[in-house]
Amino acid sequence: MAVTKIEGGVNSAAGFKTCGLRAGIKAGKENKDMAMILSDVPASAAGTFTRNLVKAAPVKWDSMIIENKKTVRAVVVNTGFANASTGAKGYENSKRTAEKAAEVLGVETEEVLVASTGVIGVQLPMDTIFEGIEKLSNALSYEKTAGDDAAEAIMTTDTHSKQAAVSFTAGKEKCIMGGMCKGSGMIHPNMGTMLCFITTDCSIDRDLMQDILRKVVNDTFNMVSVDGDTSTNDTVILLSNGMAGNKAITESSDEVEKAEFEEALRAVCQSLAIEIARDGEGATRLFTAEVKGASDEETARILAKSIITSNLTKAAIFGKDANWGRIMCAMGYSGASFDPDKTDIFISSKNGELKLVENGVTTGFSEEKALEILGADEITAKCDVKDGDKAAVAWGCDLTYEYVKINGDYRS
Amino acid sequence: MAVTKIEGGVNSAAGFKTCGLRAGIKAGKENKDMAMILSDVPASAAGTFTRNLVKAAPVKWDSMIIENKKTVRAVVVNTGFANASTGAKGYENSKRTAEKAAEVLGVETEEVLVASTGVIGVQLPMDTIFEGIEKLSNALSYEKTAGDDAAEAIMTTDTHSKQAAVSFTAGKEKCIMGGMCKGSGMIHPNMGTMLCFITTDCSIDRDLMQDILRKVVNDTFNMVSVDGDTSTNDTVILLSNGMAGNKAITESSDEVEKAEFEEALRAVCQSLAIEIARDGEGATRLFTAEVKGASDEETARILAKSIITSNLTKAAIFGKDANWGRIMCAMGYSGASFDPDKTDIFISSKNGELKLVENGVTTGFSEEKALEILGADEITAKCDVKDGDKAAVAWGCDLTYEYVKINGDYRS
């Protein structure tokens, strides 16, 4: 496999400039709060969006553009306010954001995607947004630092910015794909619940790219949960501008070539998805659930997600408590079918692996060893339901005092 | 309506003796950990149980008895260990508990129901249980204090015991119905997730009683959520011994008479359900969601439950934050169909009521007034989706540091 992780992010692929800076939307003196991505040439665009019935205005705007299969030149992102539950005026404000960027950048309004994140129900401060767009257009750059700035500018309660990039080949050409995303509350299955922007210089048929994106998002971002709440603003955008010069990948291309593109996208998305889970609000631990031996993939997915979503299990992981009963219980109420009396449960970390449960009952494991394993900052629960050969992985985090603190006091 | 709330609990109805005492199962020197209920005469029994695929051994034992429509004489409850995920030996231990009680009380083994709550995956300490049963059989009493003792003995992380009782009439006879229950973690829809025992001296056809119980549990205990986790041990038992001397209520009885029995049961269950929500692990506030204007009942129920289950909304209630966007968002991802752009949202407490949202957008409400309303210890969110005339109510609590503390450290 020629997919290789590299240093970089959303402007690593050829022909993408980015920037991030403080426009003055968010309270606090220093936080960056706006980012921009510009492709030198029209890029084909794929996207997946929140399945929440309450869709933010920018989600409605972007969905319209993606559904119309338009090419895209730029993306404008703001934090501070989500522009959700803002009615007709909110949609108008998303459109005006695109119009302003189009005017400043010399592109079409419908070539501009927008994204917002932050407090729900408040109108965007348009004067500040407009000033921000002017500043952004002057700061665009191919430099790595400009990618770093963009990744930083889209953060809300994230404790660090999140980027990933890979190199791969298409035909004989070397291609780059890179992305950035933000978490870290309202993170739950049903469209990973975050903002994520990925760019590539690889040329690929737009519909094929959309299909691959949907599939990969399903296995990565949609298998992450921080708190069970699905946001109104979830957005994953993938832009491809073809500047690598490869012959466009199409449905009829060689399977190996299609697989390599998918593998590249999976590497970027999985890396970003894990970073979102690890950086869940208040989280101190990455908590992964691997389910195997399921009769079908959907069963494995439901079981894995139920484990990492259970508040009681998450609190136990925070408390380094090998409380496997809560894992079994979470599988039991997931709605998926399995036989508890055949199920084995292990915990695993860099400090070792321990079988807690065999065929539904305790192994009489060493609590001391369990405590040692649970002392690591990346914990995996492995469950074998011995009912088939399908598997799934889900990523979450522990539930901590800090989560409550962050969310009890978010607006103030 | 002649249903009247009275002081009392699980032994208020004629012919029921109870007791609660310390057998020595739970760590700590003073906690009561076993309770017993005895009916002077065989009582018909109805029950509803957890829908978790992982069912505790006592749930399997009781389900068998309820399904066989046996009459019941006694109930034995232990805390400390749940006897769940304990395999064949666990079931054997539930059966041995019933056998021992039957022997001591001079009744049939299959006339004894059992219930357990506590840590999952550990076998019951049978010697201690047997000694406890001997002690319990000597302590049974009609006195109110014996009801109080029983209610106290079934507590786990509950901060106070929970009882309710009503008087009502059937035919010309005055009847009593009373109950006790325990919360307060692993509390979530899908069978209220707790132990609840209700007794009545009213004579009623067993199948009719089962139907009414199922209906009332659906509207009360199943509309409570503390943490989204559905327990392995949820049990609601209703025993009727007919000692009020009324002519048995049957399917063909007067509608008013059937309605009064249902109303009595609803009063007891709703009162206990609200106490469970209010006493949710770590909770500082009772948080109620009332949804009206729904096109059908199921929609109203799903929306109301989604609001009180949302971690983000619960944390906002803890933080006295009028973050209605999270309420809207929770309704949006619930899976129920409604129009966000027609929805009104109010918050309400003893300190007043305030419209936060009209037709999907903010009313520009006074934050000061909102803070005053949210300062009360019972908060209600009222949502009108203006799409019909169906309504539902769900009860929950806020999400606090203390919840995490309790559940990060439960086993130790």
Side-chain angles (χ1 to χ4, degrees):
Chain A
M1 184 62 59
V3 175
T4 310
K5 290 210 176 191
I6 59 171
E7 276 287 300
V10 72
N11 69 346
S12 296
F16 287 99
K17 286 189 274 202
T18 60
C19 61
L21 48 73
R22 172 161 180 77
I25 302 166
K26 268 205 291 204
K29 288 199 190 116
E30 290 172 27
N31 287 341
K32 295 188 177 70
D33 51 19
M34 286 192 78
M36 186 179 272
I37 303 170
L38 180 69
S39 174
D40 293 348
V41 296
S44 58
T48 66
F49 301 95
T50 184
R51 290 183 208 145
N52 194 312
L53 201 66
V54 180
K55 291 183 205 309
V59 166
K60 292 178 186 169
W61 174 261
D62 292 354
S63 301
M64 179 268 292
I65 291 174
I66 298 290
E67 276 162 27
N68 290 342
K69 304 186 183 183
K70 303 269 185 197
T71 57
V72 164
R73 288 293 303 277
V75 183
V76 180
V77 190
N78 76 274
T79 63
F81 301 103
N83 198 6
S85 290
T86 44
K89 188 174 173 195
Y91 186 77
E92 189 59 28
N93 283 343
S94 280
K95 191 180 172 201
R96 287 172 68 206
T97 302
E99 279 168 355
K100 176 70 179 179
E103 175 199 321
V104 169
L105 298 169
V107 303
E108 300 294 316
T109 299
E110 297 205 350
E111 286 183 316
V112 180
L113 298 172
V114 296
S116 302
T117 177
V119 174
I120 298 176
V122 180
Q123 297 294 347
L124 293 180
M126 292 311 293
D127 289 348
T128 313
I129 297 272
F130 287 168
E131 280 171 40
I133 289 170
E134 304 257 6
K135 286 191 217 169
L136 287 163
S137 68
N138 294 319
L140 287 164
S141 160
Y142 301 116
E143 293 295 320
K144 180 177 178 306
T145 51
D148 298 343
D149 287 343
E152 209 179 292
I154 65 171
M155 290 165 58
T156 52
T157 51
D158 305 67
T159 64
H160 59 81
S161 63
K162 299 167 182 71
Q163 304 182 70
V166 296
S167 68
F168 61 107
T169 53
K172 286 171 185 164
E173 307 303 328
K174 184 185 164 195
C175 302
I176 301 285
M177 184 184 294
M180 63 178 183
C181 72
K182 55 91 38 187
S184 65
M186 278 205 187
I187 300 296
H188 186 65
N190 266 345
M191 175 54 261
T193 323
M194 20 89 275
L195 301 181
C196 175
F197 308 96
I198 303 166
T199 60
T200 182
D201 43 27
C202 179
S203 180
I204 179 168
D205 173 72
R206 189 261 160 211
D207 289 348
L208 178 60
M209 179 167 80
Q210 178 70 39
D211 288 348
I212 294 175
L213 178 67
R214 192 166 286 131
K215 183 173 164 191
V216 169
V217 166
N218 213 29
D219 289 343
T220 55
F221 293 115
N222 284 355
M223 293 303 284
V224 168
S225 178
V226 167
D227 55 17
D229 280 54
T230 303
S231 152
T232 52
N233 289 55
D234 299 343
T235 299
V236 177
I237 297 289
L238 170 58
L239 301 179
S240 121
N241 66 6
M243 288 185 70
N246 63 302
K247 187 180 164 215
I249 303 172
T250 64
E251 197 57 70
S252 57
S253 293
D254 188 73
E255 288 302 325
V256 173
E257 199 170 31
K258 288 192 279 182
E260 179 146 338
F261 184 89
E262 180 176 325
E263 188 59 28
L265 185 60
R266 191 176 295 273
V268 171
C269 289
Q270 183 164 315
S271 172
L272 293 172
I274 290 174
E275 283 313 303
I276 285 178
R278 187 200 309 278
D279 195 26
E281 284 177 343
T284 65
R285 291 189 171 78
L286 176 67
F287 175 44
T288 304
E290 296 179 11
V291 171
K292 69 172 186 175
S295 54
D296 59 274
E297 258 179 45
E298 191 57 17
T299 296
R301 294 167 63 86
I302 291 170
L303 291 173
K305 281 205 280 193
S306 190
I307 293 167
I308 55 133
T309 307
S310 154
N311 275 352
L312 283 169
T313 303
K314 288 153 57 87
I317 294 296
F318 172 59
K320 302 178 201 167
D321 179 2
N323 200 323
W324 60 266
R326 293 180 181 173
I327 294 173
M328 189 69 94
C329 178
M331 295 169 74
Y333 66 67
S334 68
S337 170
F338 75 107
D339 183 352
D341 296 335
K342 286 202 305 192
T343 299
D344 296 350
I345 301 176
F346 304 74
I347 50 169
S348 175
S349 78
K350 66 178 183 191
N351 297 340
E353 183 163 307
L354 189 64
K355 189 184 238 184
L356 304 181
V357 175
E358 185 168 299
N359 294 324
V361 296
T362 181
T363 56
F365 57 90
S366 151
E367 292 279 353
E368 197 182 349
K369 181 65 188 166
L371 193 63
E372 190 191 338
I373 290 169
L374 294 172
D377 58 2
E378 299 192 359
I379 310 292
T380 301
K382 299 182 180 180
C383 303
D384 187 350
V385 296
K386 292 185 259 178
D387 198 29
D389 62 356
K390 293 299 187 288
V393 184
W395 299 276
C397 58
D398 53 353
L399 176 64
T400 70
Y401 306 136
E402 201 57 24
Y403 174 84
V404 179
K405 189 168 175 193
I406 292 167
N407 287 299
D409 201 33
Y410 181 56
R411 293 196 323 163
S412 41
Chain B
M1 182 61 60
V3 174
T4 310
K5 290 210 176 191
I6 59 171
E7 276 288 300
V10 73
N11 70 346
S12 296
F16 287 99
K17 285 188 276 201
T18 60
C19 61
L21 48 74
R22 172 162 178 75
I25 302 166
K26 268 204 292 203
K29 289 198 187 114
E30 290 173 27
N31 286 342
K32 294 190 177 71
D33 51 20
M34 286 192 79
M36 186 179 273
I37 303 170
L38 179 69
S39 173
D40 293 348
V41 295
S44 58
T48 66
F49 301 96
T50 183
R51 290 182 209 147
N52 194 313
L53 201 67
V54 180
K55 291 183 205 309
V59 166
K60 292 178 187 168
W61 173 261
D62 292 354
S63 299
M64 178 269 292
I65 291 174
I66 298 289
E67 276 161 27
N68 291 342
K69 306 185 183 184
K70 302 269 184 196
T71 56
V72 165
R73 287 293 303 278
V75 183
V76 180
V77 190
N78 76 275
T79 64
F81 301 103
N83 197 8
S85 290
T86 44
K89 188 173 173 195
Y91 187 76
E92 188 59 28
N93 283 342
S94 280
K95 192 179 172 202
R96 286 171 68 205
T97 302
E99 280 168 356
K100 176 69 179 179
E103 176 199 321
V104 168
L105 297 170
V107 304
E108 299 295 315
T109 299
E110 297 205 350
E111 286 183 316
V112 180
L113 298 172
V114 296
S116 302
T117 177
V119 175
I120 298 176
V122 180
Q123 297 295 347
L124 293 180
M126 293 311 294
D127 290 346
T128 313
I129 297 271
F130 287 168
E131 281 171 39
I133 289 170
E134 303 257 6
K135 284 191 220 169
L136 287 164
S137 68
N138 293 321
L140 287 164
S141 159
Y142 302 115
E143 294 295 319
K144 180 177 179 306
T145 52
D148 297 345
D149 287 344
E152 209 180 291
I154 65 172
M155 288 164 60
T156 53
T157 52
D158 306 66
T159 63
H160 59 82
S161 63
K162 298 167 184 70
Q163 304 182 68
V166 296
S167 68
F168 61 107
T169 53
K172 286 170 186 163
E173 306 304 326
K174 184 185 164 195
C175 301
I176 301 285
M177 183 184 293
M180 64 179 183
C181 73
K182 55 92 38 188
S184 64
M186 279 205 186
I187 300 295
H188 187 63
N190 266 345
M191 175 54 262
T193 325
M194 20 89 276
L195 302 182
C196 176
F197 307 96
I198 303 167
T199 60
T200 182
D201 44 27
C202 180
S203 180
I204 180 168
D205 173 72
R206 189 262 161 209
D207 289 349
L208 177 61
M209 178 166 80
Q210 178 70 39
D211 288 348
I212 294 174
L213 178 66
R214 191 166 287 131
K215 183 173 165 192
V216 169
V217 165
N218 212 30
D219 289 344
T220 56
F221 293 114
N222 284 355
M223 293 303 284
V224 168
S225 177
V226 168
D227 54 18
D229 281 53
T230 303
S231 153
T232 52
N233 290 56
D234 298 343
T235 298
V236 177
I237 296 289
L238 169 58
L239 301 180
S240 122
N241 67 7
M243 288 185 70
N246 63 301
K247 187 178 165 217
I249 303 171
T250 64
E251 197 57 70
S252 58
S253 293
D254 188 72
E255 287 303 324
V256 174
E257 198 170 33
K258 287 192 279 184
E260 180 146 337
F261 184 89
E262 181 178 324
E263 188 58 29
L265 185 60
R266 191 176 295 272
V268 171
C269 289
Q270 183 165 315
S271 173
L272 293 172
I274 289 174
E275 282 315 302
I276 285 177
R278 187 199 310 276
D279 196 27
E281 284 177 342
T284 65
R285 289 190 172 77
L286 175 67
F287 175 44
T288 304
E290 296 179 11
V291 172
K292 68 173 186 174
S295 54
D296 59 273
E297 259 179 46
E298 191 57 17
T299 295
R301 295 167 62 88
I302 291 170
L303 291 172
K305 281 205 279 195
S306 191
I307 293 167
I308 56 133
T309 307
S310 154
N311 275 352
L312 284 169
T313 303
K314 288 152 57 88
I317 294 297
F318 173 58
K320 302 179 200 168
D321 179 3
N323 200 323
W324 60 266
R326 293 180 180 172
I327 294 174
M328 189 69 95
C329 179
M331 294 169 75
Y333 65 67
S334 68
S337 170
F338 74 108
D339 183 352
D341 296 334
K342 286 202 304 190
T343 298
D344 296 350
I345 301 177
F346 303 75
I347 50 169
S348 175
S349 78
K350 66 178 182 191
N351 298 340
E353 182 163 309
L354 190 63
K355 189 185 239 183
L356 304 181
V357 175
E358 185 168 300
N359 294 324
V361 297
T362 181
T363 55
F365 57 90
S366 151
E367 290 281 352
E368 196 182 347
K369 181 64 188 169
L371 192 63
E372 189 190 337
I373 290 169
L374 293 171
D377 57 2
E378 299 192 1
I379 309 293
T380 301
K382 299 182 179 180
C383 303
D384 186 351
V385 296
K386 293 185 257 178
D387 199 29
D389 62 356
K390 292 298 186 288
V393 184
W395 299 275
C397 58
D398 53 353
L399 175 64
T400 69
Y401 306 136
E402 200 58 24
Y403 174 85
V404 178
K405 188 170 177 192
I406 291 168
N407 286 298
D409 201 33
Y410 181 55
R411 292 197 324 163
S412 41

